[in-house]
């Protein structure tokens, strides 16, 4: 195999990995702050993907342009879910929360199945087969746009958490729940905001991923799992870690697809997870737990 | 021995248990073929739920990948049968150690670093998924095209080779479920069981009391994995076909754990009750929907999801603690 091919596949994998990273970031933010494991994460992303599919097939609206309204919609849905249901579960044991999310995930998958049918769907944008050439490097336009979009959204989220009072307040909840209550923060509302933000991340990621992959109603659980693998690989609770993990997994999947067979690619992602747990259980950028 | 089994149970509980057991024992004489398959499913979930409960309910380790042990048991026994003509009961001697070793591997990876809670749960899913994709590419077991056992003759029941009528599988599973119940009860009231409960309630405190938490968590995983693999062997010989996509799928793992969670985690009767409630609910739904002439794929699952939501919101402890209070046997030592 020529070197060019490796390079092209690697770049494609990294760009896809950036979108994976954004998806996983949503999970990481929710877990880091609310301490609830969102087992319906991938399913929430398929909702965004199907909304984008519907908007495209009805009104020819480009998924990348629809990114903002769809993210806003998922933010609202996430906020409502946390405020309405999950807030009641934050003091419950983990398995109880898990069951709640499994029930929600089951409902999402099957509502999508009824609404959109079991067949895989995608969007055929005008630039679907465009590519950019840079020396020996050929990059798909869709992957480039998706990767760039992921970087922009991630940067915005970082800025929000780092520089806005609201972001600081949310970080305070994550660091010290009791302390946040003591200084008078409305923790339940901040939790709802956080879950909304996590949902918005995954909504944006879904719009971008739709340019690269097809969507079926049943693909949700595997994305949930992928998000978990990425977050644990990168370091649970670490925002840059999610991005690094995403890129690593995206790259691994792409190379595995090239060197072995595409159907075995997820095996390598799991192998990385096992290696990480074996040699660096706190994740690549995670802090060692006490 | 018999007396020990009933130790600590009130007269009322013993009578209720005996009635249930008698009903289950004579059920195949009265039910049709369809209902028999439903009862087999219930017993399968009661048994696997009991095995899972050892890890989660007793030792407090959340496993979301029990399909791995079912699958390893099923594939090991089936492959030995297909390739070498080795029967299921001998195959069990290989299948159980294989599954137990897989459990030990996961346990070693996780418990060495005191990886717990969510991390541990994800690790169990990941290993099961790894196995699913791996078996999808394993030529020895026919990869993704599936491993098939010769179809059973319903006319003759061969218990040694597990070839025969579903009623035979029913009784095999009934015996297994009863034995699992008795074994779990014995474990729970042994020294080991008390160590597990201590670890479940507060691992740090357990350590400070000198309990070797690593060791006892490993014991829990190995026992649970080995027990679960037996259900896999039965699964293989009952269904006669195995596909990695189905056997190792994460939804199989979730099905296994729903019963004990809905029934009541950490209780001995929870897994059994949960299996009845959930399988009964699912089958009633199927019947009701087809009776109404609704044939939209997904409607049943949505209703299932909604019922599940209702149960966990209304009865966070599970159904059994609530029901046992109703039956007036809540004060019993479980």
């Amino acid at each position: 195999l020529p070197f060019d091919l490796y390079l092209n596949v690697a770049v494609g994998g990294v760009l896809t990995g950036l979108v994976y990273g954004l998806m996983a970031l949503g999970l990481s933010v929710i877990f880091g702050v609310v301490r609830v494991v969102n087992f319906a994460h991938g399913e929430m992303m398929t909702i965004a993907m199907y909304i984008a599919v519907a908007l495209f097939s009805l009104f020819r609206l480009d998924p990348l342009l629809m990114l903002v309204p769809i993210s806003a919609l998922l933010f609202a849905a996430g906020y409502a879910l946390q405020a309405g249901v999950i807030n009641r579960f934050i003091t419950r044991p983990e398995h109880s929360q898990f069951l709640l999310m499994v029930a929600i995930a089951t409902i999402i998958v099957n509502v999508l199945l009824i609404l959109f049918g079991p067949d895989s769907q995608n969007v055929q944008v005008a630039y679907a087969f465009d590519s950019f050439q840079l020396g020996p490097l050929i990059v798909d336009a869709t992957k480039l746009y998706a990767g760039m979009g992921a970087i922009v959204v991630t940067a915005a989220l970082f800025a929000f958490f780092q520089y806005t009072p609201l972001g600081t307040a949310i970080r305070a909840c994550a660091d010290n729940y009791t302390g946040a209550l003591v200084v008078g923060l409305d923790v339940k509302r901040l939790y709802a905001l956080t879950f909304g933000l996590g949902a918005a991340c995954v909504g944006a990621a879904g719009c971008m991923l739709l340019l690269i992959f097809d969507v079926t109603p049943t693909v949700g659980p595997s994305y949930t799992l992928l998000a978990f693998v990425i977050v644990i690989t990168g370091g649970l609770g670490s925002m840059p870690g999610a991005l690094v993990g995403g890129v690593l997994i995206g790259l691994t999947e792409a190379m595995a697809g090239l060197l072995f067979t595409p159907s075995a690619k997820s095996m390598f992602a799991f192998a990385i997870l096992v290696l990480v747990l074996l040699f660096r259980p706190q994740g690549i950028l995670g802090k060692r737990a006490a | 021995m018999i007396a020990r089994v009933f130790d600590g149970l009130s007269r009322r509980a013993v009578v209720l248990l005996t009635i249930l057991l008698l009903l289950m024992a004579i059920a195949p004489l009265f039910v049709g073929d369809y209902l028999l398959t439903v009862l087999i499913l219930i017993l399968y979930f009661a048994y696997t739920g009991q095995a899972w409960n050892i890890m989660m309910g007793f030792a407090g380790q959340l496993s979301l990948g029990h399909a791995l042990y079912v699958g390893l048991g099923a594939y090991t026994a089936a492959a030995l049968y297909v390739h070498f003509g080795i029967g299921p009961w001998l195959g069990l001697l290989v299948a159980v150690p294989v599954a137990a070793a897989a459990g030990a591997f996961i346990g070693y990876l996780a418990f060495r670093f005191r990886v717990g809670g969510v991390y541990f749960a994800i690790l169990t899913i990941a290993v099961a998924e790894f196995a699913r994709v791996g078996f999808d590419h394993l030529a020895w077991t026919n990869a993704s095209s599936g491993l098939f056992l010769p179809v059973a003759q319903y006319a003759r029941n061969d218990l040694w080779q597990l070839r025969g009528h579903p009623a035979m599988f029913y009784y095999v599973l009934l015996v297994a479920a009863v034995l699992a119940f008795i074994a779990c009860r014995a474990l729970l009231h042994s020294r080991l069981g008390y160590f597990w409960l201590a670890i479940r309630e507060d691992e740090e405190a357990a350590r400070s009391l000198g309990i070797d938490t690593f060791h006892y968590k490993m014991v829990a995983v190995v026992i649970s994995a080995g027990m679960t693999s037996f259900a896999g062997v039965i699964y293989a010989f009952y269904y006669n076909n195995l596909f990695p996509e189905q056997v190792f799928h994460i939804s199989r793992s979730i099905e296994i754990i729903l019963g004990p969670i809905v029934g009541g985690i950490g209780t001995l009767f929870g897994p059994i009750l949960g299996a009845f409630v959930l399988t009964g609910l699912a089958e009633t739904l199927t019947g009701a929907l087809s009776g109404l002439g609704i044939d939209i794929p997904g409607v049943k699952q949505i209703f299932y999801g909604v019922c599940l939501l209702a149960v966990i919101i209304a009865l966070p402890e599970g159904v059994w603690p609530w029901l046992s209070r109703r039956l007036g046997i809540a004060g019993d030592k479980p």
Side-chain angles (χ1 to χ4, degrees):
Chain A
L1 288 166
F3 178 71
D4 289 14
L5 183 62
Y6 282 113
L7 192 66
N8 286 332
V9 170
V11 170
V14 168
L15 291 172
T16 311
L18 284 168
V19 185
Y20 284 168
L22 176 60
M23 168 184 82
L25 195 60
L27 188 75
S28 189
V29 164
I30 293 173
F31 182 79
V33 178
V34 189
R35 296 276 145 196
V36 164
V37 177
N38 183 13
F39 270 99
H41 204 65
E43 286 81 354
M44 279 163 40
M45 186 163 82
T46 51
I47 296 181
M49 291 170 97
Y50 271 110
I51 297 173
V53 165
L55 288 175
F56 186 81
S57 58
L58 292 176
F59 309 110
R60 299 274 128 194
L61 289 166
D62 188 308
L64 280 182
L65 298 176
M66 287 300 103
L67 195 147
V68 174
I70 289 176
S71 296
L73 204 67
L74 260 93
F75 175 86
Y79 190 100
L81 187 64
Q82 177 74 36
V85 185
I86 304 174
N87 264 341
R88 290 198 228 169
F89 276 72
I90 44 180
T91 50
R92 295 252 196 116
E94 253 161 21
H95 60 81
S96 185
Q97 300 170 351
F98 163 75
L99 205 61
L100 172 74
M101 299 318 292
V102 165
I104 292 172
T106 310
I107 295 171
I108 293 176
V109 168
N110 290 289
V111 168
L112 289 176
L113 185 68
I114 291 176
L115 290 178
F116 295 96
D119 299 328
S120 74
Q121 302 197 25
N122 59 10
V123 293
Q124 285 299 326
V125 286
Y127 49 87
F129 298 105
D130 291 359
S131 57
F132 298 101
Q133 190 153 12
L134 206 99
L137 191 65
I138 301 167
V139 184
D140 294 340
T142 48
K143 282 185 183 164
L144 188 68
Y145 296 153
M148 293 299 128
I151 290 179
V152 171
V153 176
T154 308
L157 199 69
F158 273 99
F160 170 78
F161 277 115
Q162 215 61 49
Y163 301 115
T164 66
L166 203 55
T168 315
I170 290 177
R171 281 191 294 133
C173 290
D175 284 346
N176 192 334
Y177 175 80
T178 319
L181 282 174
V182 167
V183 297
L185 293 176
D186 184 352
V187 175
K188 293 228 159 154
R189 193 180 68 93
L190 290 172
Y191 275 1
L193 269 174
T194 308
F195 204 95
L197 279 175
C201 277
V202 86
C207 291
M208 289 181 268
L209 218 53
L210 192 60
L211 296 177
I212 308 175
F213 296 119
D214 294 355
V215 58
T216 63
T218 48
V219 85
S222 44
Y223 279 124
T224 302
L225 202 57
L226 190 68
F228 274 111
V229 169
I230 290 169
V231 165
I232 293 180
T233 304
L236 201 51
S238 156
M239 289 180 56
L243 219 52
V244 170
V247 169
L248 182 67
I249 297 294
L251 189 61
T252 311
E253 284 199 343
M255 295 320 277
L258 178 66
L259 296 172
F260 299 93
T261 151
S263 60
K265 66 179 186 180
S266 57
M267 219 165 98
F268 290 85
F270 298 128
I272 287 204
L273 175 75
V274 170
L275 286 178
V276 165
L277 283 175
L278 202 52
F279 295 110
R280 204 178 155 77
Q282 72 272 36
I284 294 171
L285 294 184
K287 286 185 211 74
R288 178 105 223 180
Chain B
M1 180 65 205
I2 298 291
R4 288 257 347 237
V5 171
F6 292 114
D7 251 6
L9 287 177
S10 68
R11 199 118 134 247
R12 196 171 194 169
V14 172
V15 169
L16 286 171
L17 263 176
T18 314
I19 291 174
L20 178 71
L21 198 59
L22 279 177
L23 280 179
M24 291 298 282
I26 56 169
L29 303 175
F30 300 102
V31 300
D33 281 349
Y34 168 69
L35 216 52
L36 186 63
T37 60
V38 175
L39 286 173
I40 289 174
L41 218 53
I42 289 176
L43 285 174
Y44 169 81
F45 286 125
Y47 176 82
T48 50
Q50 201 72 261
W52 177 82
N53 203 30
I54 293 179
M55 258 177 92
M56 178 63 208
F58 299 176
Q61 306 303 311
L62 177 56
S63 162
L64 301 183
H66 258 51
L68 173 71
Y69 312 126
V70 174
L72 285 177
Y75 262 102
T76 309
L80 288 174
Y81 186 72
V82 169
H83 289 298
F84 308 113
I86 297 173
W89 300 104
L90 288 177
L92 207 57
L93 297 178
V94 183
V96 171
V98 165
F105 169 72
I106 295 178
Y108 176 76
L109 266 188
F111 302 147
R112 206 164 51 108
F113 296 111
R114 288 206 264 154
V115 168
V118 184
Y119 287 84
F120 180 70
I122 303 298
L123 181 67
T124 59
I125 302 181
V127 177
E129 284 289 294
F130 186 87
R132 178 176 67 83
V133 185
F135 272 89
D136 245 342
H137 293 85
L138 189 66
W140 193 57
T141 57
N142 256 350
S144 54
S145 26
L147 188 61
F148 292 87
L149 278 72
V151 174
Q153 296 290 325
Y154 276 13
R156 236 183 82 247
N157 288 328
D158 183 351
L159 186 62
W160 179 244
Q161 299 286 354
L162 275 184
R163 310 276 72 193
H165 192 267
M168 184 183 73
F169 288 92
Y170 175 85
Y171 282 113
V172 170
L173 276 170
L174 181 61
V175 170
V178 171
L179 288 180
F181 180 81
I182 295 172
C184 283
R185 192 152 191 280
L187 279 174
L188 197 56
H189 296 299
S190 68
R191 196 176 162 77
L192 183 61
Y194 290 118
F195 285 163
W196 281 339
L197 294 186
I199 293 170
R200 181 188 77 184
E201 292 304 320
D202 191 334
E203 194 167 338
E204 287 305 313
R207 276 169 72 85
S208 65
L209 287 173
I211 298 173
D212 184 351
T213 55
F214 175 81
H215 176 77
Y216 291 109
K217 285 197 285 184
M218 289 293 280
V219 172
V221 181
V222 168
I223 293 180
S224 181
M227 255 176 89
T228 310
S229 66
F230 172 73
V233 176
I234 302 297
Y235 180 104
F237 282 78
Y238 176 60
Y239 285 110
N240 293 316
N241 59 68
L242 296 172
F243 295 92
E245 226 20 77
Q246 289 172 4
V247 181
F248 288 102
H249 199 267
I250 181 168
S251 55
R252 289 292 92 73
S253 300
I254 292 177
E255 281 171 6
I256 290 174
I257 77 170
L258 286 181
I261 296 182
V262 168
I265 266 188
T267 66
L268 285 167
F269 213 72
I272 302 171
L273 182 68
F276 271 102
V277 170
L278 286 172
T279 314
L281 184 66
E283 296 303 327
T284 314
L285 274 174
T286 313
L289 286 175
S290 72
L292 291 171
I294 301 172
D295 186 27
I296 307 169
V299 172
K300 182 183 139 189
Q301 280 81 356
I302 291 174
F303 200 76
Y304 199 65
V306 172
C307 290
L308 207 60
L309 268 184
V311 170
I312 46 176
I313 290 173
L315 297 169
E317 300 280 291
V319 180
W320 176 243
W322 171 80
L323 187 67
S324 65
R325 281 194 295 275
R326 287 283 152 128
L327 292 173
I329 51 175
D332 288 13
K333 251 170 99 180

